[in-house]
Amino acid sequence: MSMTVDIRHRFGTFTLDAGFEADTGVTALFGPSGAGKTSMINAVAGLLRPDRGRITVDSAVWQDDTTFLPPHKRRVGYVFQDGRLFPHLSVARNLRFAGLHAEEGAILDMLGIAHLMDRRIAALSGGEAQRVAIGRALLSDPKVLLLDEPLSALDAARKAEILPYIERLRDELRIPILLVSHAVEEVARLAQTVIVLDQGRITASGAPAALLAEPGSPMGPAEAGTLLPGTVGPTEQGLTRIDTGAGPILLPEVTAAPGHALRLRIPARDVMLATQKPEGLSALNILAGHIGTITAAGAGVVDVQVICNGVPILARITAQSAGRLGLCPGQPIYAVVKSVTLGLDQVFA
Amino acid sequence: MEWSLTPDEWTAVRLSLRVAVWATLLSLPLGIAVAWVLARCDFWGKSLLNGVVHLPLILPPVVTGFMLLVLFGRNGPVGGFLEDTFGIVLAFRWTGAVLAAAIMGFPLMVRAIRLSIEAVDPKLEDAARTLGAAPLAVFFRVTLPMALPGIIAGAILAFAKAMGEFGATITFVSNIPGETRTIAAAIYSLTQVPGGDAGAFRLTIVAVIVAMAALLASEYFARRAQKRVSGR
């Protein structure tokens, strides 16, 4: 299953002009508000009719110069930012709005909403309503799933409640999922591919780890950092070891079971550098490596790539410090990790 | 004073109810359609349509009645066509009273329904479209049910207006006992004859009760419409 999207549309002085391909799995449309992310997926849904465009899903053409398939014939599953459940219908009738689905039971179980069927919409919590909205979209048997900032209306606790369900969708559905987001943590945790949109144009695209690790990251200079895949190891004295390519990282408060795969995000601004192995430091995680590249990343700061066991870790330091320490490529160095992000939970180490 | 209605007065009450019920039921589908068009569509001439719909509210009723007589009288362009083609005669018949009452109540009906359709969030209609609902299905499964209490409220207002219609009716279909003499026309006739005051008073009480009940019911449904659209 794959889709291609290529759209050109003018709104007053703003022009959306972007094209991309998406395969099975999560493709994130990332960018600041007003970048055109939601317009992009509205065009995919057929709710926005772009001036020009070509949208294909598998072999079906949804839009080209002569065709414009109306929304009800496209079979998109659209999860809106504000849920948009029908207030005059029960949860069950919302879920079955598109008709009965052979795998209803499995989908309800996957989302943990089977017990909500008789509820009224007004009686749902924010997290429940968003799971029902996801269920309603899935039960329409979509060819493409569109998620428009599905977490942004929720508080941190509700986000943490929904995220695992979206991860399951990613791993179990065999359709392209387009995720609109402006939260790096969401994208880092969920997406295989990120498309960075700014003012209607694509400024970068690729795997989130690669984009974040680029000095002065195209996802926003402040967001530069390292995305490290890891495996949960044993827990001792409240600290869990996460085994990564760059070496073991110790983290408190990890609830995932040993053997569970996860992604760690280490913001570049939270990595300090030391030319000698530091002693008497409160930081738990000190990785040894050598310097890869040193790149200017804005006024007075540089992004230093530290290669640990062949895995690059990005550190953001001031140009002045870099000069004072006399940093140069190939030099042995220690990366002191001040904080690690695990999914959405900031964990200090 | 005798409080019970005379047979003639009962006839007028029954006729008024019959005229008002038919006027409401027959104008409702068109009222919903026009309200939907005014609420959801943008087109050239929309203000003109809005004006035409509201005209009976502003014109002297006798003008509306006279226009009906010119158009729908047996020699009028529409009236002549209806009689020749379908054998339907409206002038000086109770069916004509239905037409007059429907037209006079139409602006009130359309106003209430339009407001309740405008209160339905178009984003919900978009959501329905992405779930595979064609435009008609969106209307019947989302827009209409969500606007339903407002539609009922509009219908009740139109019914109450039809019950009390006088000027257009008497101009178009006159004041024929048993055929076109509604409550309002009967009260008018009773005030024109000596000793008719008691009858006029009895029918006035009936008119007040019906109008009051209709307004209360309309209020109740309008409140429910609000609740329904907000999902509580």
Side-chain angles (χ1 to χ4, degrees), chain A residues 231-254:
Chain A
T231 314
V232 178
T235 300
E236 275 175 28
Q237 296 175 348
L239 286 177
T240 305
R241 197 181 78 213
I242 313 286
D243 293 308
T244 76
I249 301 258
L250 294 175
L251 287 181
E253 297 169 21
V254 174

Side-chain angles (χ1 to χ4, degrees), chain B residues 39-91:
Chain B
R40 285 281 188 264
C41 303
D42 240 334
F43 54 93
W44 189 90
K46 180 172 167 175
S47 342
L48 194 70
L49 174 66
N50 194 39
V52 169
V53 166
H54 282 92
L55 215 49
L57 203 60
I58 297 145
L59 282 177
V62 63
V63 173
T64 305
F66 181 67
M67 279 165 41
L68 286 175
L69 194 58
V70 170
L71 282 173
F72 289 90
R74 299 182 86 150
N75 300 321
V78 185
F81 169 79
L82 286 177
E83 183 170 4
D84 295 344
T85 318
F86 304 108
I88 296 174
V89 179
L90 295 175

